[in-house]
Amino acid sequence: SLDEPRAKSIALSILNHRERAPLQTTQDLVQAVAAVVPEFARKGRRMGRTATLARVFQSLRIVVNQEDKVLTQALMEMCPALIKPGGRLVVLSYHSMEDRATKR
């Protein structure tokens, strides 16, 4: 993923942990991620464990809730019916996936 530089190593670590035992708690997932992510990173880099875990949990939430599908549906199907000809739509995005979708 463009949003998580360590996505491949994190995914492989999760798969390796799942081969030994199912991930049943958030702590199980934290341990799988912690195996490949340093606890701290250089200042300003947002590459430490806490920031990485935030991105991992955010990604899982987006997939589980199908947020990309819901956003696309809202933008492509609902908004055109609500906006008058010549009207404008303002969208606030808080994640790069949302940003990419709203710019299409």
Side-chain angles (χ1 to χ4, degrees):
S1 156
L2 296 172
D3 298 330
E4 178 49 56
R6 295 187 186 98
K8 188 173 183 176
S9 62
I10 291 169
L12 290 173
S13 180
I14 291 169
L15 290 173
N16 288 337
H17 278 74
R18 286 178 59 200
E19 285 178 2
R20 288 181 256 153
L23 300 179
Q24 296 182 323
T25 67
T26 55
Q27 190 59 40
D28 293 342
L29 180 59
V30 168
Q31 289 174 354
V33 173
V36 293
V37 175
E39 185 172 358
F40 300 105
R42 289 181 282 189
K43 285 188 175 186
R45 299 282 315 259
R46 299 236 353 118
M47 295 291 292
R49 192 169 296 153
T50 300
T52 300
L53 283 165
R55 289 188 296 269
V56 169
F57 280 99
Q58 180 182 45
S59 296
L60 290 172
R61 187 202 74 226
I62 288 169
V63 171
V64 168
N65 295 336
Q66 298 181 343
E67 293 176 19
D68 54 340
K69 182 180 176 182
V70 171
L71 177 61
T72 299
Q73 182 181 16
L75 292 172
M76 302 302 285
E77 297 174 17
M78 300 161 94
C79 289
L82 299 173
I83 299 172
K84 294 179 181 180
R88 293 179 186 220
L89 172 69
V90 176
V91 178
L92 299 177
S93 62
Y94 297 96
H95 183 270
S96 60
M97 180 270 307
E98 296 168 343
D99 192 48
R100 286 188 296 269
T102 58
K103 290 179 178 177
R104 280 188 240 141

